[in-house]
């Protein structure tokens, strides 16, 4: 007499479990990615504001301040967006 196993039934159960868990795992992963993107934007804006304030405080002529702010913005942008 041959013995029948429930191999097919267990495979179906695993598939259903993955189908139930996969959306939750993807939601968690995408949430982590979105949070890190928001933090990157926040830090970039904070650093740009800091560099702009620093350029305004450092003694230089009034015409040099916008150029210094542009240069600081480029440095911040290059630091954030790798080539």
């Amino acid at each position: 007499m041959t013995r029948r196993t429930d191999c097919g039934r267990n495979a179906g159960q695993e598939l259903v479990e993955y189908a139930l868990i996969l959306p939750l795992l993807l939601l968690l992963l995408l949430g982590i990615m979105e949070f890190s993107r928001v933090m990157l934007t926040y830090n970039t804006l904070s650093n740009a504001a800091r560099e702009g304030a620093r350029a305004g405080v450092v003694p230089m002529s009034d015409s040099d301040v916008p150029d210094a702010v542009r240069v600081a913005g480029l440095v911040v942008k290059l630091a954030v967006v790798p080539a």
Side-chain angles (χ1 to χ4, degrees):
M1 186 161 124
T2 61
R3 190 170 204 190
R4 186 175 154 189
T5 61
D6 290 335
C7 183
R9 187 175 211 175
N10 287 338
Q13 179 184 356
E14 291 175 6
L15 184 64
V16 170
E17 288 176 358
Y18 282 128
L20 292 174
I21 294 298
L22 185 62
L24 296 174
L25 291 176
L26 288 176
L27 183 67
L28 180 66
L29 178 67
L30 292 175
I32 290 170
M33 291 170 55
E34 186 68 19
F35 179 75
S36 64
R37 193 176 68 86
V38 167
M39 288 304 298
L40 177 68
T41 303
Y42 174 79
N43 286 334
T44 302
L45 290 174
S46 178
N47 288 336
R50 184 180 304 115
E51 289 294 327
R54 181 183 170 279
V57 171
V58 173
M60 62 178 72
S61 67
D62 289 340
S63 62
D64 291 340
V65 171
D67 294 332
V69 171
R70 261 190 237 103
V71 168
L74 289 175
V75 168
V76 169
K77 186 175 183 180
L78 290 175
V80 170
V81 182

